[in-house]
Amino acid sequence: MISVNDFKTGLTIEVDGDIWRVLDFQHVKPGKGAAFVRSKLRNLRSGNINEKTFRGGEKVGRAQIDNLKMQYLYADGENHIFMDNTSYEQIEISSKQIERELKFLKENMEVHIIQYKTEILGVELPVTVELEVTATEPGIRGDTSSGGSKPATLETGLTVQVPFFVNLGDKLIINTNESEYVSRA
């Protein structure tokens, strides 16, 4: 058990039978009444984000999460195959479980598989990934990096807003948390 006063960003807890990751928290000490902790939590099973308030000093269960470093191999129908590089053990994860992450996954990419006891909860992506532009309008002479943006479709099917100077075939650095263009690779 862990006190809500000890919350840290990234901590995984067990509340109401579900596994949650603390995204943000704030200790509140009102002038009148008891202190409390306002938190923003992501459900690791469903991906939903909820805000929850705990009484100061309340205890919650700490969830021991394992991060397994694996390589994404390929898609097999509705399942996606990942392999442990040391033991060569392979696991399957359904498309429904990693729907958001599929927009960033390329074959042979190294990712972390989130596991609670024996249950696979999902995939943790790197903060940024490198993806190639497969469709965008050509840049027009005179466009500058500060002059606006246009949509570009990347090799995984993800569409992001990019500066006008980005062309077909360019490799881009994309932030996986915000689904945004960062820079050219």
Side-chain angles (χ1 to χ4, degrees):
M1 299 295 275
I2 186 169
S3 171
V4 296
N5 296 336
D6 298 329
F7 272 9
K8 292 183 174 133
T9 303
L11 179 72
T12 51
I13 59 174
E14 191 170 358
V15 178
D16 302 329
D18 271 326
I19 310 302
W20 302 86
R21 175 164 283 145
V22 177
L23 300 177
D24 192 24
F25 65 95
Q26 179 182 14
H27 294 281
V28 180
K29 296 178 183 172
K32 187 176 184 182
F36 60 92
V37 176
R38 186 176 295 134
S39 63
K40 189 175 187 181
L41 308 171
R42 169 176 275 135
N43 186 320
L44 293 181
R45 289 188 174 120
S46 68
N48 295 336
I49 296 176
N50 289 355
E51 292 188 8
K52 188 161 177 64
T53 302
F54 298 95
R55 292 185 314 276
E58 187 176 340
K59 302 276 188 192
V60 295
R62 184 171 185 162
Q64 184 60 41
I65 299 293
D66 295 321
N67 281 322
L68 310 171
K69 190 173 184 179
M70 294 194 150
Q71 181 179 19
Y72 175 60
L73 295 180
Y74 59 92
D76 182 22
E78 282 297 308
N79 292 321
H80 298 271
I81 313 301
F82 295 84
M83 179 183 71
D84 186 328
N85 286 336
T86 54
S87 68
Y88 301 108
E89 177 185 342
Q90 294 183 5
I91 62 167
E92 291 183 7
I93 301 177
S94 74
S95 296
K96 292 176 186 169
Q97 211 171 353
I98 57 172
E99 197 170 333
R100 182 189 173 281
E101 290 83 357
L102 286 175
K103 297 174 186 172
F104 304 99
L105 278 177
K106 291 188 337 183
E107 289 184 1
N108 301 322
M109 179 184 279
E110 297 263 330
V111 295
H112 289 272
I113 303 296
I114 304 166
Q115 183 176 2
Y116 176 67
K117 296 181 180 173
T118 59
E119 178 186 4
I120 302 292
L121 296 175
V123 174
E124 190 171 296
L125 297 167
V127 176
T128 59
V129 294
E130 184 179 309
L131 298 172
E132 186 176 331
V133 177
T134 57
T136 189
E137 297 172 10
I140 301 168
R141 185 179 172 95
D143 288 335
T144 63
S145 62
S146 62
S149 62
K150 62 182 180 179
T153 304
L154 306 174
E155 62 187 295
T156 59
L158 177 67
T159 301
V160 295
Q161 293 294 318
V162 298
F164 286 123
F165 61 80
V166 172
N167 294 311
L168 191 67
D170 285 354
K171 292 194 181 291
L172 307 179
I173 305 291
I174 304 297
N175 180 317
T176 58
N177 295 326
E178 307 298 325
S179 299
E180 291 179 345
Y181 165 84
V182 175
S183 67
R184 280 200 268 194

